[in-house]
Amino acid sequence: MTIVALPTVPQQIETAAIAQVRPKILLVDDRWENLLATEKVLRPLKADIFKAASGNEALSLVLRHQFAIVLLDVQMPEMDGFETATLMQEHESMSGVPIIFVTALSKEEKYASRAAEIGAVDYIFKPINPDILKSKVKVYLDLYVQREQIMRLNATLSQSNEELERFAYICSHDMQEPVRMMNAFAGLLAENAEEAIDEDGRRYLSFILDNARRMQKMINDILTFSRVGREEILLEPVDCEAILRETLAEFEGVIQASGAEVTYTPLPSVETSSTLVRVLFQNLIGNALKFQNGSQPPIIAVTAEKQGRYWRFSVKDNGIGIENGFRGRIFTIFQRLHRKEDYPGTGIGLSTCRKFIRLCGGEIDFTSAPGQGSTFHFTLPSGEAARPTRSGQHVGAR
């Protein structure tokens, strides 16, 4: 059994990033009794509270800390609240930090206007209503915490993406080369020394070749999976029916050999990714042809119908079906439901389909029962309208 670990964002890192966010509040007032009273009101908000008795002391704290909000008294000796706020905003760390002015000055409009010009988010008059103050401050603290959580998780995701880039490079270069060499030399040995090798040797050589090819397929599938979401998705008008016909042409040999019958109704053109539609049809048609018990020729039907802003596509087969207990595993990477000796594959195809289709604004699911075949459904935003209706098409063994 081969286990390959894809770089992911550990849940522990995400939880830690969120848990460590604790906002800081800066209170500025030249009267110590006011600072203590305001601190008492805000203490239940689970924030670190810093106090400054002057504008200069407040500016010193701004240089050393990142604050979520500042409550600033207007009337202070030497440097009033307006001057302090103006100087604060010159520091990069204060960019976007909300400032609430607290004052006992008259309620003349000119003071509120000046506060607004400086960029204050509010202007509160003394005596302060504790509940109103606490409610207003809590809103800005919650916004700060949410923003910090997003920034920290983005940093974690960026690190994970870098690891994924390195992983993809290893897949496409370092891991590919030894597998290619095994495949090539085992093929040469089978071709040039077949008569010199006994039956056991030929069986061992066949085993090497099969596993080298399987490993190469797995590496290519992992590489495809890792690229989904990292590279820009080009949305364009896509003729889904034309891509289906191309996909069926790729499977022509399998269709002929198995006596399969494939039918499809008119399919729409939608604004999506042509690569996505190709990946979907390659995997779903390929699986419908593969997961058969051999007792009857495969019968596959592809349809599409408009449902609001989406087109709902269906790929129905008469294969072996899927037990409902496997629903949680069917789209999980590396989760195979059958032995590779019975049904070859890497267990990555449907995972890639779901990852890709969600990035394009759609969803994928299935209905099935053992021995009664499966129907996979996927949706795509409609984008452009469908072509005029015409008769369906039929592809089968001739």
Side-chain angles (χ1 to χ4, degrees):
M1 179 176 67
T2 302
I3 300 176
V4 180
L6 282 172
T8 57
V9 182
Q11 186 176 357
Q12 295 87 346
I13 295 178
E14 294 185 25
T15 304
I18 293 173
Q20 292 171 2
V21 178
R22 185 174 174 86
K24 297 178 180 179
I25 302 172
L26 175 58
L27 308 179
V28 188
D29 196 305
D30 62 313
R31 302 187 63 173
W32 196 251
E33 60 269 25
N34 290 343
L35 290 174
L36 293 176
T38 306
E39 180 184 29
K40 182 178 179 181
V41 171
L42 300 180
R43 194 175 294 137
L45 296 182
K46 297 180 181 179
D48 295 328
I49 300 176
F50 292 75
K51 301 182 290 293
S54 68
N56 285 324
E57 189 178 341
L59 293 173
S60 177
L61 287 171
V62 164
L63 292 175
R64 303 196 304 272
H65 300 278
Q66 175 71 52
F67 291 103
I69 187 170
V70 177
L71 274 69
L72 186 56
D73 184 32
V74 173
Q75 284 185 299
M76 294 187 296
E78 298 181 8
M79 185 187 304
D80 67 20
F82 295 133
E83 294 173 307
T84 302
T86 301
L87 291 173
M88 278 183 178
Q89 291 175 335
E90 293 181 0
H91 295 281
E92 185 178 351
S93 64
M94 287 295 295
S95 176
V97 175
I99 296 176
I100 295 179
F101 282 112
V102 182
T103 181
L105 288 173
S106 67
K107 301 184 181 181
E108 292 184 21
E109 188 176 333
K110 64 179 181 180
Y111 295 113
S113 298
R114 187 177 177 191
E117 290 173 3
I118 293 173
V121 297
D122 210 338
Y123 194 80
I124 299 177
F125 296 95
K126 299 177 182 178
I128 299 172
N129 183 307
D131 292 332
I132 292 177
L133 177 64
K134 187 164 62 175
S135 176
K136 288 185 175 185
V137 171
K138 185 178 186 305
V139 169
Y140 291 107
L141 291 181
D142 289 345
L143 290 172
Y144 174 84
V145 170
Q146 291 172 12
R147 185 174 65 249
E148 285 296 305
Q149 289 173 356
I150 292 171
M151 291 176 63
R152 294 186 185 194
L153 290 177
N154 281 344
T156 305
L157 286 171
S158 177
Q159 179 182 356
S160 179
N161 285 337
E162 290 177 5
E163 294 173 356
L164 193 56
E165 291 277 359
R166 292 193 293 270
F167 175 79
Y169 180 86
I170 291 172
C171 275
S172 60
H173 294 83
D174 299 358
M175 288 176 66
Q176 289 272 29
E177 188 56 31
V179 174
R180 278 196 294 264
M181 295 297 289
M182 281 191 294
N183 201 1
F185 281 103
L188 287 173
L189 187 60
E191 187 177 317
N192 299 327
E194 184 177 1
E195 295 181 358
I197 302 176
D198 61 16
E199 185 177 346
D200 286 340
R202 285 193 290 271
R203 190 171 70 254
Y204 300 152
L205 190 56
S206 175
F207 181 79
I208 293 172
L209 277 168
D210 289 344
N211 279 270
R213 289 167 185 155
R214 192 165 66 88
M215 176 61 77
Q216 192 163 40
K217 177 70 166 58
M218 179 177 285
I219 291 171
N220 289 331
D221 286 351
I222 293 171
L223 188 57
T224 299
F225 183 85
S226 69
R227 283 173 174 162
V228 174
R230 294 190 299 112
E231 299 176 352
E232 183 179 358
I233 298 176
L234 175 63
L235 299 181
E236 58 186 350
V238 176
D239 186 337
C240 297
E241 187 170 315
I243 292 182
L244 175 61
R245 289 197 299 268
E246 293 171 6
T247 303
L248 294 177
E250 296 173 12
F251 287 110
E252 184 176 2
V254 180
I255 291 173
Q256 296 294 328
S258 62
E261 180 181 287
V262 184
T263 60
Y264 57 92
T265 60
L267 302 184
S269 291
V270 296
E271 191 81 10
T272 187
S273 163
S274 59
T275 303
L276 165 64
V277 177
R278 195 176 304 278
V279 167
L280 284 166
F281 282 144
Q282 285 174 343
N283 278 278
L284 297 180
I285 299 294
N287 285 348
L289 291 168
K290 177 171 64 175
F291 291 104
Q292 300 279 338
N293 60 17
S295 64
Q296 58 187 342
I299 299 175
I300 303 168
V302 183
T303 59
E305 62 176 338
K306 188 75 176 294
Q307 292 186 345
R309 297 185 300 107
Y310 293 87
W311 277 97
R312 187 173 188 263
F313 294 77
S314 298
V315 179
K316 182 179 181 180
D317 65 57
N318 64 336
I320 60 175
I322 304 168
E323 292 184 15
N324 193 54
F326 292 138
R327 176 167 293 276
R329 297 174 53 188
I330 196 73
F331 295 108
T332 304
I333 189 169
F334 298 126
Q335 290 292 318
R336 293 176 48 86
L337 306 185
H338 310 280
R339 298 190 314 158
K340 66 178 184 296
E341 292 83 2
D342 298 330
Y343 299 99
T346 59
I348 301 177
L350 289 177
S351 304
T352 303
C353 287
R354 185 176 68 172
K355 184 179 179 183
F356 206 158
I357 202 169
R358 285 181 171 177
L359 289 172
C360 292
E363 191 53 87
I364 185 170
D365 201 357
F366 71 95
T367 56
S368 184
Q372 299 180 31
S374 304
T375 303
F376 278 83
H377 313 278
F378 64 88
T379 58
L380 290 173
S382 57
E384 296 190 357
R387 294 191 294 269
T389 303
R390 60 193 180 285
S391 60
Q393 301 290 327
H394 178 281
V395 178
R398 293 185 292 274

